[in-house]
Amino acid sequence: MARASEDVLARAEAAYLGLALGDALGATVEFMTPREIAHHFARAGGVHREITGGGWLHLKPGQVTDDTGMALALGDAILAHQGAISRQACAHAFDVWMRSKPVDIGNTVRRNLMLFRRTGIPVAPLSEHDAGNGAAMRVLPVALATLDWSEDEVRDACRMQAHVTHNNPLSDAACEFIVLALQDFIRGNSLREIYRHRIQPLVEAQPAFAFRGKPRRENPSGWIVETMQAVLQSLVEVGGFENCLVDVVNRGGDADTTGAITGMLAGAMYGRSALPARWLKALDPDVYLRCSEQARRLVATTP
Ligand code: MN
Ligand code: MN
């Protein structure tokens, strides 16, 4: 994007740091139930709200997982190709990332990257079962690199990166929604506008994603539908970046990924100054730098 304004750059950076903060915060309670979280954090009022590491992956404080790791791999690949997005480059980048012995990796990601290694084909077979959240959690770099592309071109780019591992219509709907909503927030649109132009059309096109008037979605699984219900309930019904992230990760389940997706959207919505200083201080400094730098460079690409 030629000559992005400082506000656009700051919101892009906030989205990327929001992704990493949500991942780092949520990973501590991944696969726990809300009851287990309340019990475990009883001395903190029953709520998990600090970036402390731990969790089932035994993370260091501020360490992130595959959500941020795959996004950074994707962003590096887009930058290496001057902002162009191709299936082959995405697949290669994810394969290299898998060889780096990441701290965690989803089953669908692993299976379809192993298939890519054998066949060289960068598109997973169409599958109604591959409706996990693994393509949506890493989609942010596409939003930043395609800010001035047409909506059709943006949707194509979303599917190219997603289909390397997740070739599924529900995953596609979520990935395209996340990217287009991120771009609207980064351009300064309000939640009210995005509710009307992006969230309502998503639920109309894919009624499985309905979340309003439904019971609070707890223990969201890695299924993209449950992930998005938790993300959208927190984003729409809870005000403020920190409250929104605390709300979503305390639902438990796939908390690092609901945290990552909520973090990128809420970061873009509330902006750089809304990110809690103590969380930024706790984040792995190398991850902080890479997210911050990549966000600004991706917005500046013009393929
Ligand atoms: Mn993860
Ligand atoms: Mn996860």
Side-chain angles (χ1 to χ4, degrees), residues 153-254:
E153 290 170 330
V154 171
R155 289 183 189 275
D156 280 348
C158 285
R159 288 193 289 267
M160 279 188 214
Q161 88 77 18
H163 288 188
V164 172
T165 55
H166 293 67
N167 190 349
N168 175 278
L170 285 169
S171 166
D172 286 352
C175 290
E176 291 167 39
F177 161 78
I178 291 167
V179 164
L180 292 165
L182 279 167
Q183 295 185 337
D184 288 348
F185 280 131
I186 288 170
R187 291 188 199 101
N189 291 288
S190 67
L191 178 59
R192 179 190 291 267
E193 288 165 314
I194 283 149
Y195 192 82
R196 200 166 59 239
H197 293 304
R198 300 293 180 201
I199 298 178
Q200 276 182 335
L202 170 73
V203 174
E204 278 160 24
Q206 297 283 0
F209 289 106
F211 64 98
R212 289 222 97 165
K214 302 246 168 185
R216 179 175 169 84
R217 166 57 69 191
E218 296 191 323
N219 298 310
S221 67
W223 185 32
I224 190 63
V225 167
E226 295 187 8
T227 301
M228 290 306 294
Q229 287 170 333
V231 167
L232 290 170
Q233 283 181 349
S234 294
L235 195 73
V236 169
E237 294 165 13
V238 181
F241 179 85
E242 180 176 338
N243 290 342
C244 197
L245 251 68
V246 167
D247 183 79
V248 87
V249 302
N250 280 276
R251 294 163 186 263
D254 196 0

Side-chain angles (χ1 to χ4, degrees), residues 21-32 48 53-59 63-65 67 104 249 254-257 259:
L21 292 174
D23 184 2
L25 182 73
T28 304
V29 293
E30 190 182 20
F31 303 135
M32 289 169 75
H48 167 53
W56 73 281
L57 292 169
H58 306 289
L59 299 171
Q63 194 178 352
V64 293
T65 72
D67 311 64
D104 64 338
V249 302
D254 196 0
D256 63 323
T257 302

Side-chain angles (χ1 to χ4, degrees), residues 66-67 70 87 90-91 94 97 105-113 115-116 121-139 156-176 222-225 227 254 257:
D66 54 347
D67 311 64
M70 290 196 87
R87 293 176 179 84
C90 293
F94 296 147
W97 168 83
I105 181 167
N107 293 331
T108 306
V109 168
R110 184 199 303 276
R111 169 166 38 83
N112 283 322
L113 287 178
L115 187 62
F116 167 69
I121 300 169
V123 182
L126 181 66
S127 168
E128 63 173 305
H129 303 294
D130 290 351
N133 56 24
M137 72 186 188
R138 65 183 188 226
V139 79
D156 280 348
C158 285
R159 288 193 289 267
M160 279 188 214
Q161 88 77 18
H163 288 188
V164 172
T165 55
H166 293 67
N167 190 349
N168 175 278
L170 285 169
S171 166
D172 286 352
C175 290
E176 291 167 39
W223 185 32
I224 190 63
V225 167
T227 301
D254 196 0
T257 302

Side-chain angles (χ1 to χ4, degrees), residues 91-107:
H92 179 70
F94 296 147
D95 189 26
V96 169
W97 168 83
M98 184 163 71
R99 285 180 203 278
S100 74
K101 301 203 190 320
V103 61
D104 64 338
I105 181 167
N107 293 331

